[in-house]
Each structure stands twice: as structure tokens, then as C-alpha cells.
Amino acid sequence: MRNKIYYLKLVLIMFTYSLLLGKEIPELLDIYTTEKDESYMLVLEFSNSNIEYLTTETFAPPSLSLLFKKVKWDRKNFTNKSSQSPLYQYGVNIPRNNNQKEIEDQLQIKLSFTRVPKYEIVQNPPRRKNRNYKLKIVWEKSKQKKAIPKYMFPSNRLPESRISLNFQGAKLMNVVRMLTSQDNLNLVVGDNLKGEVTLNLNDVSLETALDAILHVNNYEWFMQDNVIVVQPIKNPDQTMSGELVTRIFRLNYSSGLTVSAAVKEALTPRGKLKALSSSASPDSGLGDKDILMVTDLPTNFDLIEGVIRTIDIESEQINIAVKFIETTLKHNETIGINWNLRESMSLIDNVKADSSKVLNVADLLVGDQALNFATLSAPVVSAMLDLLANDGDTKLLQEPQVTTMNNSLANIVVGTRIPVLVPQGRGSVFGTNPYTYEEQNINVSLDVLPRVNRQKVISMKIDAIVESIIGYVGSEQRPMVSTRSTSTNVRVKNGETLLIGGLIFDTDNEDVSKVPFLGDIPLIKNLFNYTNTTREQRELLIFITPTVVSSSI
């Protein structure tokens, strides 16, 4: 009986002792951050599990607070920085009452975020090696790129981290320090950085966030040697040393004037550029502008380089072969070739031809006074040239060729200069007028602007001007010049030929027949002379064959 009473007392004593131990006030032993493969966490280690806390979330600024009751803390308040985004700092603070006295056995843990993530609070029991109780605040890692450590990103460039912010009435200094601290950036600000900011940004770059926050408060920033410097905007045109950077770009293929127009659209308001030439000749002056000198903010040069790389590329070259053929057209002349070749011909304008007959050059080329256009395949061109070569009234005037860059104008001029007698001055005292000779150009001018696409189809803008002497007037026999012009846009395949016809000129030829000796007597010669006037039609045919030239060497 006595043994039973003894054991009962022992059990009561042990139970009472365990209750006393269970009510022991826990002590916060350590606080730190750590990470796993897919999560970050803030770990709090306590001496036992008798912990009670109250959580509070705020969204302006984003933060999470844990208020512990009946918890001991034998150290002072502190704040630590964190690189575990979106957490940028955490701290321990002992609350105070209205009299600014510390409240005994109370403790507040505050986590400051750029945005409040999805989190969970987990309590782990002690293990063999570590008998402390652990309270963990766990959140998933962002799928974005990790922040680049200090000095590891390129000079004068910000890290490519993305941030989200939600603040209401926050101090400008604190917001700037928070942004730069999460990527371990160096920051220099003066004591004049004041003001408050309210903002809500979601998934923006650090550069965009700094621009938005500072510019609305009349501040600006720039980066020099991995140091962010913040200053008030005193003069929009005034810059500090190191803020603007000048770089030289040498162009390989495109003209500096062409690239400048595109680069200007990519410059910041402070940026400027100038196109220069790498060489100059005393005789011909400056060469083509092949150098760009660009001055702008360092953070904008990635965009500028991308624009230059896109435009300054090797382009196709196009060879343009032209044949000028003149033929005399007579009403009783009929020349034919195999009409089956007409299937390979695509007429742009209507022609007066009957598919049941052979191909009639007069029907195809004379028509009315309007210009005719047709695209011809190689067999049709060959047959037509053979046809015209066998015609005694057809001659090849010129056969020039020119090679030009893609989307660059090619100009072909074929012509002659003739002396023209023109009066000079008002005449002498004897009533005679002095004359002099001036040269006049009679030309066939052809401007072709070709552009080739990826399928090797060539689009051409063609401007043609044809001048011809159709007669003479006055006692000085001054030439009468007829001018025909046309402008068109056509599309042909690589190696196809464009035929321009309808450039027709009328010429009057006079044949004088007379009776020998009697036809030369001044008073009666008209009785023994016979004049026969014949009108001749001449047509100029222009064959244009563009061919893409391979750019490989």
C-alpha cells in the first residue's frame, strides 16, 4: 500500500513539473534566411514550442508582420538586407507602449517585400542534432532570372531583374534604397532627395521603375562605374560628366544618311548623332557617309545597336540589261512568228491581236498612240529579236547594261548632241544678226528603281523619256524635238524581260524629181519639178531585263 502511494506521489510530481516546463516562456535564439531548390524561407529558432503570434499583412508598402506574445529576446532591434526576391529586408523590433517604453516579452518580426508573395508558415519540431523549435515563413522562388551579383553585370548597365511595387505615400528615399538594395547596387544620393510617392507597378524592369519614381518628383539618375547617382533635374539640357556616352559605328553596307533616319527614332531626348565620311578626296570632295557618331545614355545603346544591325546588311545586286531597238512600220508590212509562243507572254495593256492568226508585230507594237507594256519570257524575247533582226527596216540603237544595289536608282541615258544655229544679240548697224552654235541634247533617258523580294520577284519603278527630231523650222533650220515620257510600276520574275512599246514618231520625207537642165532654170523650174512627200512611222522598242546578281564571293 505504501508503495502505491509513493508511486502516485511521484507521478503527480512529474506531471506538475511537466506543466511548469510547458509554460516556460520561449526565447528567440536565432533568425536567418535560407533557400531550397524552389523556395526561399525566413527561419526563426525558439527554445520551445510555446509560441503564440498574430500575423498582419499590408500592401502599401508590401510587408508581413508577426507579433509574438510571451517571447524573450536578449538582443537589440536590427534590420538585415535580403537578396531573396521579393523580400528585400527583414528585422526584429520590440514594440513600445504610449510612453515609449518597451513592452516586456513581446516581439515583432517584419518582412518587407517589393510585393507580398504567396507564403505559408510552417512549424518544425526539434531534431536530434538541433533541439530548437523552428518557425518557417516559406515562399516560392520567382521564375524570373536571378539578380546579377554586384559587379557581375556589364558596365553602365542595370541588372535585368523584374520587380512589382505597390506603395502609398512612401518616402522617396526609402523606395530608391529598396530598389537598389535587392540587386546589391551602389547608390549615391544627396540629402536633398525628399518627397513621397504612390505607385502600383507590376512586372517592370528596374530601369523603368527608377525612371517612373524619380522623374515625377523632378529627379534624374545615371550610372557611372556601377554606381547609381541620383540628382535633381536643374536644367533639361545640362548633363553631368559620365552621364552621356559617345560611340562610333562603322557601317559596312548602308549609307549613313539612311541609317541615321532610323537611329534618330531610337534616341532618347538627350541623344544625338552625326553621319561622317571615313575618307575624303580633294577632287571629288567627301565620300559616302559610312560612319555614325552617336551620343546617348549608356542604357540605350543596346536598342541603337539592334537598329543598326537590322538595317546595315548586305543587299542584293541587280543587273539591268536594256536594248533600244528602232523599227520602221509600214501599212503593207506583215511579219509573223509562231503564235504558240504567245502563251509565255503576259500583256499588261490590251493589244490588237487575234489568237487565231500568227503573231503580227504591227498589231502587237503599233496599236494606237498609247504606250504598251508586256512581260516576256526568254523564248519569246529570243524569237522576237530574231524576227526584228531579219527586218531590213529595224536597227539596234544601243545595248547598255548597269548593275545597281537593291532599292537603288539606276539611270541610263543614250543620246547625241547636235549643233543648233541660234541668233545672238540684236544685230549690227548693217541689219545683220550674228549667229552662234549651241549644242542641244537629244536623249533617251531611262530611270529604273528595282526592288527584289525573297522569292526573287523584282518590282521596278520605271520613268522613261524619249526625245526625237521630227523636223526643222525657220531659215536657221532649227530642229523640232518631240518628247514622249512614261512612268509605270511593274513586277517581273528574275530574268524576265519587260517590253515597252508605243513610242511612235512620224517623219515626213520629201523626194524631189526634176527634168535635167529644165528643172534648174529659175523662172520655169517649178514646171519641171515633182515633189513626193511620204510619211514614215518609226517606233522605239525598249527591252528591259533585270537579273539578280549573286552576292556570294
Side-chain angles (χ1 to χ4, degrees):
M1 185 66 180
R2 291 181 179 179
N3 291 336
K4 291 182 179 180
I5 295 174
Y6 173 77
Y7 284 116
L8 181 60
K9 289 181 179 180
L10 182 61
V11 170
L12 290 174
I13 292 172
M14 293 179 63
F15 178 73
T16 303
Y17 181 74
S18 64
L19 290 177
L20 292 175
L21 287 177
K23 293 183 179 180
E24 181 183 358
I25 297 177
E27 180 182 358
L28 178 60
L29 302 176
D30 198 4
I31 178 172
Y32 55 90
T33 58
T34 184
E35 65 178 288
K36 291 185 177 180
D37 293 338
E38 298 181 354
S39 62
Y40 293 123
M41 64 186 70
L42 179 69
V43 181
L44 291 80
E45 293 191 7
F46 295 92
S47 58
N48 61 59
S49 61
N50 298 326
I51 52 178
E52 298 180 6
Y53 59 89
L54 177 67
T55 61
T56 303
E57 287 186 22
T58 59
F59 293 93
S63 64
L64 171 66
S65 297
L66 285 78
L67 179 61
F68 291 89
K69 298 179 180 181
K70 302 298 181 181
V71 172
K72 293 181 180 180
W73 174 252
D74 58 358
R75 283 173 277 181
K76 297 182 180 180
N77 299 342
F78 76 91
T79 300
N80 281 346
K81 300 295 182 182
S82 173
S83 60
Q84 297 176 334
S85 178
L87 178 69
Y88 70 90
Q89 71 178 20
Y90 63 93
V92 177
N93 179 49
I94 300 177
R96 295 177 180 270
N97 57 22
N98 295 333
N99 297 326
Q100 296 300 313
K101 291 185 178 181
E102 293 183 351
I103 301 176
E104 187 177 357
D105 296 338
Q106 284 196 13
L107 196 63
Q108 184 182 38
I109 309 296
K110 184 176 181 180
L111 293 80
S112 299
F113 298 97
T114 57
R115 56 178 175 82
V116 178
K118 292 183 180 180
Y119 65 91
E120 61 176 341
I121 300 177
V122 181
Q123 186 172 352
N124 295 133
R127 297 182 179 180
R128 294 180 180 179
K129 294 183 180 180
N130 188 347
R131 297 184 178 182
N132 298 331
Y133 290 84
K134 294 182 180 180
L135 186 70
K136 300 178 180 179
I137 300 97
V138 184
W139 64 94
E140 291 185 358
K141 289 184 178 180
S142 173
K143 296 181 180 180
Q144 303 159 359
K145 296 181 179 180
K146 294 183 179 180
I148 304 176
K150 186 189 300 184
Y151 303 121
M152 292 301 291
F153 48 87
S155 177
N156 295 325
R157 290 291 300 164
L158 290 178
E160 297 180 358
S161 56
R162 312 286 294 183
I163 59 176
S164 297
L165 299 172
N166 189 337
F167 290 102
Q168 182 176 359
K171 290 184 178 181
L172 184 60
M173 174 70 80
N174 294 339
V175 175
V176 173
R177 292 177 62 184
M178 178 202 70
L179 290 176
T180 56
S181 63
Q182 72 169 0
D183 287 304
N184 296 325
L185 299 175
N186 298 313
L187 176 66
V188 175
V189 296
D191 57 0
N192 54 358
L193 183 60
K194 300 177 181 179
E196 295 183 349
V197 62
T198 298
L199 55 92
N200 185 5
L201 302 176
N202 184 30
D203 192 29
V204 299
S205 65
L206 178 58
E207 181 178 346
T208 301
L210 285 174
D211 286 340
I213 293 170
L214 293 174
H215 287 183
V216 296
N217 289 278
N218 294 323
Y219 289 93
E220 61 184 355
W221 68 276
F222 66 94
M223 198 165 185
Q224 183 176 7
D225 295 333
N226 291 325
V227 177
I228 295 179
V229 181
V230 179
Q231 65 174 3
I233 299 178
K234 298 179 181 179
N235 186 346
D237 298 327
Q238 181 179 358
T239 59
M240 292 183 63
S241 174
E243 181 175 6
L244 296 178
V245 176
T246 299
R247 293 184 58 183
I248 302 296
F249 296 92
R250 183 178 292 273
L251 304 177
N252 297 316
Y253 305 104
S254 301
S255 169
L257 298 178
T258 302
V259 180
S260 296
V263 173
K264 284 181 180 179
E265 299 297 326
L267 294 177
T268 64
R270 294 184 175 182
K272 58 183 180 180
L273 65 86
K274 188 174 183 180
L276 305 171
S277 176
S278 60
S279 62
S281 171
D283 299 329
S284 59
L286 292 176
D288 192 14
K289 297 184 183 299
D290 57 349
I291 293 178
L292 285 185
M293 184 172 66
V294 184
T295 301
D296 207 347
L297 296 174
T299 54
N300 196 43
F301 272 98
D302 280 353
L303 176 60
I304 294 173
E305 290 177 357
V307 172
I308 294 176
R309 284 196 303 268
T310 302
I311 299 177
D312 187 30
I313 58 176
E314 185 177 5
S315 62
E316 302 280 0
Q317 296 187 89
I318 302 172
N319 177 266
I320 300 175
V322 182
K323 294 180 185 292
F324 295 97
I325 297 177
E326 186 180 70
T327 182
T328 301
L329 303 175
K330 298 179 181 179
H331 295 291
N332 59 351
E333 182 179 33
T334 301
I335 306 174
I337 62 173
N338 190 346
W339 182 252
N340 292 330
L341 294 176
R342 189 176 187 274
E343 296 179 358
S344 302
M345 180 184 300
S346 173
L347 292 180
I348 299 176
D349 286 346
N350 293 329
V351 295
K352 300 177 181 179
D354 185 357
S355 59
S356 63
K357 302 178 182 179
V358 294
L359 178 62
N360 192 299
V361 175
D363 287 337
L364 176 64
L365 302 178
V366 178
D368 52 20
Q369 293 300 312
L371 297 178
N372 299 320
F373 300 89
T375 56
L376 310 176
S377 62
V380 174
V381 174
S382 178
M384 184 171 290
L385 293 178
D386 291 341
L387 175 74
L388 295 173
N390 295 326
D391 183 12
D393 293 323
T394 299
K395 60 180 178 179
L396 177 65
L397 299 180
Q398 296 287 343
E399 193 175 4
Q401 292 192 33
V402 63
T403 300
T404 184
M405 302 295 294
N406 183 33
N407 205 28
S408 296
L409 183 66
N411 176 254
I412 299 174
V413 178
V414 176
T416 185
R417 292 182 179 181
I418 61 173
V420 178
L421 189 64
V422 295
Q424 185 178 18
R426 294 185 177 181
S428 65
V429 294
F430 300 102
T432 59
N433 292 331
Y435 284 84
T436 185
Y437 284 97
E438 291 183 357
E439 290 187 341
Q440 182 174 351
N441 294 324
I442 308 297
N443 296 329
V444 176
S445 176
L446 192 65
D447 291 336
V448 181
L449 181 62
R451 184 163 56 89
V452 60
N453 61 17
R454 295 181 179 179
Q455 288 75 34
K456 302 299 183 182
V457 176
I458 303 172
S459 300
M460 294 187 294
K461 183 180 184 301
I462 300 175
D463 294 310
I465 300 176
V466 179
E467 298 175 337
S468 178
I469 299 176
I470 59 175
Y472 296 88
V473 295
S475 59
E476 302 90 0
Q477 290 294 294
R478 300 182 65 180
M480 296 173 57
V481 179
S482 173
T483 301
R484 294 285 184 90
S485 64
T486 182
S487 180
T488 185
N489 291 278
V490 296
R491 186 181 297 111
V492 297
K493 296 179 181 179
N494 183 28
E496 280 189 342
T497 299
L498 174 70
L499 169 61
I500 301 178
L503 297 167
I504 302 173
F505 303 93
D506 293 332
T507 304
D508 292 334
N509 298 322
E510 292 186 354
D511 294 329
V512 179
S513 301
K514 62 181 178 179
V515 177
F517 181 72
L518 295 177
D520 296 327
I521 300 175
L523 296 178
I524 62 173
K525 65 179 182 179
N526 291 334
L527 299 175
F528 300 96
N529 287 343
Y530 172 73
T531 301
N532 182 27
T533 301
T534 59
R535 173 162 293 185
E536 183 181 64
Q537 283 189 325
R538 293 181 295 113
E539 180 172 13
L540 180 66
L541 307 178
I542 304 176
F543 294 82
I544 304 174
T545 306
T547 306
V548 177
V549 180
S550 176
S551 59
S552 60
I553 299 177

